[in-house]
Amino acid sequence: MTDYSKLGKVLTASIEGEVRFDEGSRALYATDASNYRQVPIGVVLPRSAEDVVQTIRLCRDFNAPILSRGAGTSIAGQCCNVAVILDFSKYMNRILEIDLTHQTARVEPGVVLDDLKNAAGRSGLTFGPDPATHSRCTLGGMIGNNSCGIHSVIAGKTVENVEALDILTYDGNRMKVGATGEQRLADEIRAGGRTGQIYAKLHALQRKYADLIRQKYPDIPRRVSGYNLDQLLPENGFHLARALVGSEGTCVTILEATVRLMSDFQHRRLVIMGFSDLETAALQTSQIMEFKPIGLEGVDEYFIRNIHKKGLHREAAARFSEGRTWLFVEFGGETGVEVDDRARSMIDRFKKDVSKPEMHLFRSPEEQYGIWEIRESAFGVTNFVQGEKNTFAGWEDSAVPPEKLGGYLKDLRSLARKYDLDSVFYGHFAEGCIHARISFDLLSRKGIQAYREFINEAADLVLRYGGSLSGEHGDGQTRAHLLPKMFGPELVGAFREFKTIWDPDHRMNPGKIVDPYPVDENIRTYLESQPTLGETVFAYPENQGSFTDALFRCVGIGRCRQKSNGTMCPSYMATLEEKHSTRGRARLLFEMMKGDVIRDGWQSEAVKDSLDLCLSCKACKSECPTQVDMAAYKAEFLSHYYKSKPRPLAALALGRIASWANIASYMPWLANAIINLPVLGPAFKTLAGITHKRPLPQFAHESFMQWHRKQPQVTNAGKKVILWPDTVHNYFYPEILKSAYRVLTKLGYQVLIPAKAFCCGRPLFDYGMAATAKEWLGDIVNGISDFLNQDAPVIVLEPSCASVFKDELMRLYPNDGLAFRMSQQTFLLADFLMRENKQQAFAPLHEKIALHGHCHQTALFGMKADMELLNSLGADSMLLREGCCGLAGSFGFEAKHYDVSVKIGNQRLIPAIQKTGSDTKIVSDGFSCREQISHLSKRETFHLAQILEMALNKRSS
């Protein structure tokens, strides 16, 4: 095997971009969203086209293959190979020009689709193709894959939307290619040189195979398989740029692209239609298309069942009755009246149809967004469903003529049953393209052999219907071996000639499309033996108790790489580094368990470095469609890592804050003086690894529990509730606990306070002290067992503490009855009051309120109760949806994390707060959130308990 270490050193000395040939980086890029895994030679993050030119020149000197990579969400294995990977997403991600006159955009390959759509949208334009990964897929990746998406029904595939490309061949020839008229073609051939040679050979190829191309290429909306040799035909303008679209990086490297823009729709409406079964729904598509929708998607009954089982998108999912197949029909136009008319006309037509669909019309953008989120999460929703077989890609996006879709679906489902496979179908019904997640056994040799037999039969089936092996995601390794079935040996020979014209030595993404790797080689899920690194601290009941199985949950969909929606993943949003995405961390942990690239197990510095910026925000637990739980995986890893390494002082200072706070509560004035003294304070912070840039909260002169012991006993006869005195509010902000205590007491509850100051141990998990946290939690459930056995609800004001009782407690004590009671009886304040229907007890509160949800609150509890409670008080309330504050408990107090913490806060949340008026009250239950907001915006923040006390006081005054 070639030693490429010298190449890495030469590249490092020769380019401005980043060069990473270390084991961790190679492990990070070893797979994409497919079933395949190939460890790359190294990774280069170029800063400019000049970097790319120099990189390929040096790789040529070492005979090293090249693989261009976008967001790494390819499903057919295009984005993993034993090659030097060029990742354009971090630096070469600029929109170079938007030409309003010609309605085009010039972009670098790393531009994320949503960034282009947002920039073009300011002028009423958009880029038409929009796959479900639009929040993170790059234009380079879309061009490589010939991506499509929901709106290709009106916009076409990517190939129809590319005007020109600036490209580089492996032998160093740089060209600008596009449509080629006869005169230019003649001129290029006459000019000679490498460019002229390419034009001449392509022209000869076109003349040789033109008739066969016309004969063999299926005339359907979604043919993505094979090279786009049809774009070389005279009737298509001998369009070299479009001929290269969909070539999956096997021919050239794209340095820049000019793409077509189209007018965006100012008004949209969405209708969902529920049918009795998949085939019935498919048969209605031609009638629906008569009303000229801009998108028509379908999902089967199993898809909807999985959504409900996983509890994802609860509010939107409630619109979908189980047991039905659903179509998503979107209308767009210049006026709302026009769009309404088309939508209602279709509804009226189908009210009389024998299929009698269930129908719902959505007019508001927010409602439509929620519904589309369900469809866009499809790839992950169909995986790792409790009680269901795991499913995999493998027969992912076949396409047939739309009018034949019903019959094809029926036969495809029958084929799956023949192999005793469960299947979930969804896709682009208007264009006959079906995505399938099927319960292949890719964990055993026998299962992999059955998989190979199935896809061979499936290929025969789709071709009998006049279809294409791929209608969206390309061939890669998954389908390339089937291309002779679809095109015949002569055209497959033409594909080889086409690649060889551009890449004579076959160094560009070798083994994909042309001369492919066998379909059953490089399967990432197949393990010769089940790896193990000893017993784990946590139980993983949703993964059969296996940490390795838990890591399989990451299927590479890359939703954690989005930059502007949701919360996941805040550290990726700040750094644009794959290793700081949820996916990157999951991949490194998997490679650690596999042990052939990362060999030092729980002591891996590469894994530790990747997890260092994980805020344990738990957003991935709810926003990742496969519910990867990186907070748990991080705590697991650190628990093992620190068994043989000393913990940093920050672990003692911040991880055990409950112990120090308890001591300080006896002399809070002294503790505050130590923190604030000019010399001693900074020295203490430096020693403990705490930042000097952020003020520390001050110990209260009297803790809540000290205050409570002095209060006269309240003898309400009402329902018993436990008010949990968490560490932060007990010792630092007791006035918030007092507000909650007074609110609950005035509402007639008998408020119980534990006799002892317990701590849930939340900070311990961040420093690998899960074993200690387990002891503390055991003490808690035993210490309040009498209350728990009386079914007393536990009301927790700090969401991060409530999440311990809901989540970590059950992972540490999965079979403990008391722990289960604690978990089931834990509530946040708003959730409890809304369950008890107490909203009418408060006086109207005519305040403007901006509500920010703590990450754990959003992930595990949701914000619905808080909003409903505030709205019931008459508040003019808005929910800030701008994601993580960036402080995350102790994370933002650590000196090494301060800058990232501030960057995260300032990216989205703080600008959103600054847009609110000074008369708007900022409300957040999370201590971290309030600290960060106060620090960065200088705005006063409130806990919900304080707002509720204001409302109660108004009623009593």
Side-chain angles (χ1 to χ4, degrees):
M1 187 174 180
T2 307
D3 180 6
Y4 288 108
S5 58
K6 186 177 179 183
L7 172 59
K9 294 174 184 176
V10 174
L11 282 168
T12 301
S14 304
I15 69 170
E16 293 183 354
E18 298 178 36
V19 179
R20 301 173 180 175
F21 278 47
D22 60 284
E23 290 179 353
S25 296
R26 293 172 61 230
L28 268 176
Y29 288 80
T31 188
D32 49 15
S34 72
N35 299 323
Y36 298 103
R37 171 185 179 270
Q38 292 176 277
V39 181
I41 294 166
V43 181
V44 174
L45 285 70
R47 291 180 182 269
S48 63
E50 290 70 30
D51 271 359
V52 180
V53 171
Q54 183 74 332
T55 296
I56 292 181
R57 183 186 69 79
L58 291 169
C59 286
R60 188 167 65 250
D61 291 344
F62 284 81
N63 195 33
I66 290 288
L67 166 57
S68 297
R69 176 169 161 137
T73 56
S74 295
I75 295 175
Q78 300 95 320
C79 280
C80 55
N81 215 328
V82 182
V84 173
I85 290 181
L86 294 172
D87 182 350
F88 297 99
S89 62
K90 185 174 182 180
Y91 296 119
M92 290 185 67
N93 56 16
R94 296 177 300 161
I95 299 169
L96 302 171
E97 178 188 23
I98 291 181
D99 184 338
L100 299 181
T101 302
H102 297 97
Q103 290 198 350
T104 60
R106 241 177 1 102
V107 298
E108 291 181 319
V111 169
V112 169
L113 174 57
D114 269 3
D115 291 345
L116 175 59
K117 290 173 76 72
N118 291 337
R122 291 191 279 272
S123 302
L125 300 174
T126 190
F127 185 73
D130 57 346
T133 54
H134 56 84
S135 63
R136 61 271 190 196
C137 69
T138 66
L139 268 292
M142 292 181 69
I143 293 167
N145 251 24
N146 195 8
S147 298
C148 306
I150 292 166
H151 296 108
S152 64
V153 66
I154 52 155
K157 306 183 291 293
T158 296
V159 66
E160 284 91 27
N161 292 274
V162 169
E163 295 297 324
L165 296 175
D166 183 356
I167 59 173
L168 181 68
T169 63
Y170 187 79
D171 55 15
N173 193 57
R174 187 168 179 177
M175 303 168 60
K176 292 190 177 180
V177 296
T180 313
E182 289 185 13
Q183 186 58 53
R184 182 186 170 191
L185 177 59
D187 291 343
E188 293 285 5
I189 293 173
R190 191 180 306 112
R194 175 69 169 123
T195 298
Q197 182 188 64
I198 289 172
Y199 276 94
K201 289 185 176 182
L202 290 173
H203 189 223
L205 179 78
Q206 177 246 86
R207 287 181 295 171
K208 179 180 177 181
Y209 293 102
D211 290 342
L212 200 56
I213 292 168
R214 294 186 184 103
Q215 175 190 340
K216 287 282 193 178
Y217 274 53
D219 185 18
I220 59 175
R222 286 293 194 95
R223 193 277 309 159
V224 172
S225 276
Y227 288 130
N228 285 325
L229 300 187
D230 56 328
Q231 294 296 331
L232 297 178
L233 297 175
E235 57 265 36
N236 291 325
F238 199 75
H239 206 304
L240 264 60
R242 292 182 179 178
L244 288 166
V245 172
S247 57
E248 302 179 3
T250 61
C251 296
V252 299
T253 299
I254 297 170
L255 302 175
E256 184 184 304
T258 301
V259 298
R260 179 187 295 176
L261 302 176
M262 60 180 283
S263 296
D264 203 359
F265 295 98
Q266 300 305 306
H267 297 270
R268 298 179 188 238
R269 301 291 183 266
L270 178 62
V271 179
I272 58 172
M273 307 174 71
F275 294 90
S276 58
D277 56 73
L278 196 65
E279 292 76 18
T280 300
L283 290 172
Q284 312 309 313
T285 56
S286 59
Q287 291 187 65
I288 292 170
M289 291 306 294
E290 292 175 12
F291 295 91
K292 298 187 177 355
I294 63 173
L296 173 53
E297 303 286 297
V299 298
D300 72 7
E301 62 272 28
Y302 304 109
F303 181 102
I304 295 301
R305 182 186 67 188
N306 291 349
I307 283 279
H308 286 291
K309 273 194 169 187
K310 282 194 167 189
L312 295 171
H313 313 296
R314 287 186 179 89
E315 193 169 340
R319 304 283 192 167
F320 295 86
S321 305
E322 289 196 58
R324 297 180 77 80
T325 288
W326 291 87
L327 297 182
F328 300 62
V329 190
E330 186 179 37
F331 296 91
E334 293 302 310
T335 68
V337 173
E338 169 203 351
V339 185
D340 278 332
D341 284 348
R342 294 215 315 278
R344 293 192 186 281
S345 294
M346 186 198 70
I347 290 172
D348 290 343
R349 163 88 165 269
F350 275 90
K351 281 180 180 177
K352 305 167 188 173
D353 194 86
V354 293
S355 61
K356 300 198 179 303
E358 179 182 339
M359 294 181 283
H360 305 282
L361 170 64
F362 300 93
R363 300 181 78 253
S364 80
E366 188 172 49
E367 281 186 316
Q368 293 179 57
Y369 176 80
I371 297 295
W372 277 124
E373 270 204 316
I374 289 177
R375 166 61 184 89
E376 290 179 357
S377 63
F379 186 67
V381 161
T382 51
N383 286 276
F384 300 98
V385 182
Q386 198 74 23
E388 305 287 340
K389 296 177 185 176
N390 285 346
T391 62
F392 294 91
W395 189 248
E396 175 56 34
D397 60 309
S398 52
V400 298
E403 65 274 13
K404 298 181 180 180
L405 182 59
Y408 172 64
L409 283 168
K410 182 179 180 180
D411 288 347
L412 184 58
R413 186 155 276 174
S414 294
L415 180 62
R417 285 197 293 267
K418 172 185 172 181
Y419 280 84
D420 193 28
L421 296 170
D422 294 342
S423 56
V424 180
F425 294 143
Y426 58 97
H428 312 285
F429 278 38
E431 296 177 291
C433 180
I434 290 300
H435 298 307
R437 300 292 293 186
I438 300 175
S439 61
F440 300 120
D441 171 15
L442 299 183
L443 303 176
S444 71
R445 275 294 167 201
K446 182 179 178 182
I448 292 171
Q449 177 60 34
Y451 159 65
R452 182 174 188 134
E453 292 170 5
F454 171 89
I455 62 173
N456 270 282
E457 284 199 54
D460 293 336
L461 174 63
V462 74
L463 296 177
R464 283 202 301 273
Y465 275 90
S468 174
L469 302 171
S470 172
E472 182 159 25
H473 293 302
D475 299 313
Q477 183 174 348
T478 301
R479 283 176 285 270
H481 73 292
L482 298 169
L483 291 176
K485 283 177 178 279
M486 178 175 172
F487 292 100
E490 286 186 82
L491 276 181
V492 169
F495 295 161
R496 186 175 294 106
E497 289 181 41
F498 182 76
K499 173 178 171 61
T500 302
I501 290 168
W502 297 104
D503 177 29
D505 297 322
H506 286 211
R507 295 284 81 193
M508 300 297 295
N509 203 11
K512 310 299 162 87
I513 300 184
V514 170
D515 300 323
Y517 294 101
V519 68
D520 54 359
E521 190 174 324
N522 309 316
I523 299 286
R524 72 179 175 90
T525 51
Y526 176 69
L527 304 170
E528 292 290 349
S529 60
Q530 181 72 4
T532 179
L533 291 173
E535 289 189 11
T536 55
V537 177
F538 292 106
Y540 296 91
E542 67 277 22
N543 296 290
Q544 295 77 49
S546 167
F547 183 60
T548 303
D549 284 0
L551 298 176
F552 273 134
R553 297 185 83 87
C554 179
V555 294
I557 192 171
R559 190 167 182 179
C560 47
R561 284 175 58 100
Q562 62 190 7
K563 299 186 292 182
S564 57
N565 298 312
T567 301
M568 178 183 70
C569 174
S571 50
Y572 176 79
M573 292 182 189
T575 65
L576 300 186
E577 285 279 2
E578 176 73 15
K579 70 178 179 179
H580 293 310
S581 69
T582 306
R583 180 180 73 177
R585 294 176 180 122
R587 291 290 164 76
L588 281 172
L589 284 163
F590 173 77
E591 292 292 337
M592 176 194 82
M593 297 299 288
K594 191 170 179 63
D596 60 351
V597 179
I598 295 178
R599 299 183 180 89
D600 41 1
W602 296 114
Q603 303 307 309
S604 170
E605 293 300 327
V607 176
K608 169 68 163 53
D609 179 56
S610 175
L611 291 168
D612 185 58
L613 294 189
C614 173
L615 284 73
S616 298
C617 67
K618 291 184 182 284
C620 48
K621 191 175 177 69
S622 61
E623 292 182 23
C624 171
T626 58
Q627 298 172 304
V628 168
D629 188 0
M630 192 50 61
Y633 307 164
K634 175 184 177 180
E636 182 74 60
F637 174 83
L638 292 178
S639 295
H640 297 275
Y641 178 85
Y642 283 120
K643 282 182 179 178
S644 59
K645 286 184 170 65
R647 289 184 174 83
L649 287 176
L652 301 177
L654 299 173
R656 289 185 172 272
I657 185 63
S659 302
W660 305 124
N662 184 44
I663 294 170
S665 68
Y666 294 100
M667 292 182 288
W669 57 270
L670 178 59
N672 290 332
I674 292 172
I675 292 170
N676 296 319
L677 283 174
V679 177
L680 196 56
F684 162 74
K685 289 180 179 179
T686 299
L687 185 66
I690 297 171
T691 180
H692 294 246
K693 301 175 184 178
R694 187 189 301 278
L696 290 174
Q698 300 296 291
F699 291 98
H701 74 277
E702 182 182 52
S703 73
F704 169 77
M705 294 192 70
Q706 289 169 340
W707 171 84
H708 178 259
R709 292 186 189 109
K710 299 176 183 177
Q711 303 309 303
Q713 188 72 26
V714 178
T715 56
N716 283 346
K719 181 178 183 177
K720 293 179 180 179
V721 298
I722 304 167
L723 178 61
W724 186 256
D726 64 272
T727 296
V728 168
H729 291 117
N730 182 33
Y731 295 113
F732 296 96
Y733 298 103
E735 64 274 12
I736 292 175
L737 273 165
K738 293 175 189 176
S739 289
Y741 179 82
R742 288 189 286 261
V743 166
L744 292 168
T745 301
K746 287 181 181 180
L747 290 176
Y749 292 103
Q750 185 178 346
V751 183
L752 308 173
I753 308 296
K756 176 183 174 183
F758 293 108
C759 177
C760 70
R762 164 58 63 201
L764 296 173
F765 295 105
D766 295 334
Y767 297 101
M769 293 186 275
T772 302
K774 183 174 183 177
E775 292 177 12
W776 289 14
L777 287 169
D779 290 344
I780 288 171
V781 294
N782 290 321
I784 63 170
S785 59
D786 289 345
F787 296 159
L788 293 175
N789 286 326
Q790 296 176 54
D791 293 327
V794 183
I795 300 171
V796 184
L797 302 187
E798 171 54 45
S800 63
C801 298
S803 73
V804 172
F805 300 147
K806 281 290 185 186
D807 191 5
E808 281 86 356
L809 176 62
M810 292 312 301
R811 288 179 176 277
L812 293 169
Y813 292 98
N815 302 309
D816 187 283
L818 272 178
F820 180 76
R821 277 184 172 276
M822 182 81 177
S823 176
Q824 294 298 301
Q825 291 167 216
T826 294
F827 296 90
L828 292 174
L829 184 58
D831 296 310
F832 174 73
L833 293 177
M834 290 302 294
R835 191 187 78 148
E836 297 277 301
N837 292 314
K838 291 295 184 181
Q839 58 268 41
Q840 302 304 321
F842 299 91
L845 189 68
H846 301 296
E847 296 273 3
K848 290 183 179 180
I849 291 176
L851 177 67
H852 170 67
H854 183 282
C855 293
H856 291 191
Q857 183 177 6
T858 303
L860 297 184
F861 300 90
M863 300 302 297
K864 184 179 179 181
D866 297 73
M867 286 297 292
E868 288 180 349
L869 182 54
L870 288 170
N871 289 335
S872 71
L873 303 184
D876 179 7
S877 54
M878 62 177 291
L879 180 61
L880 299 172
R881 301 181 183 274
E882 279 70 26
C884 184
C885 71
L887 185 57
S890 60
F891 180 88
F893 283 103
E894 291 189 49
K896 65 176 182 175
H897 294 148
Y898 175 80
D899 290 341
V900 171
S901 168
V902 168
K903 186 173 182 179
I904 292 169
N906 280 331
Q907 274 187 314
R908 295 164 62 214
L909 178 60
I910 300 305
I913 286 172
Q914 289 169 337
K915 288 178 184 176
T916 64
S918 58
D919 59 339
T920 299
K921 284 186 166 60
I922 311 300
V923 176
S924 181
D925 284 1
F927 151 76
S928 300
C929 309
R930 297 194 304 273
E931 289 291 309
Q932 183 80 308
I933 292 167
S934 298
H935 176 53
L936 298 181
S937 73
K938 311 305 179 188
R939 294 280 292 272
E940 184 181 10
T941 59
F942 299 87
H943 191 285
L944 179 65
Q946 296 170 299
I947 300 296
L948 295 178
E949 187 175 28
M950 292 179 198
L952 268 186
N953 289 342
K954 282 186 67 176
R955 169 144 291 185
S956 60
S957 61

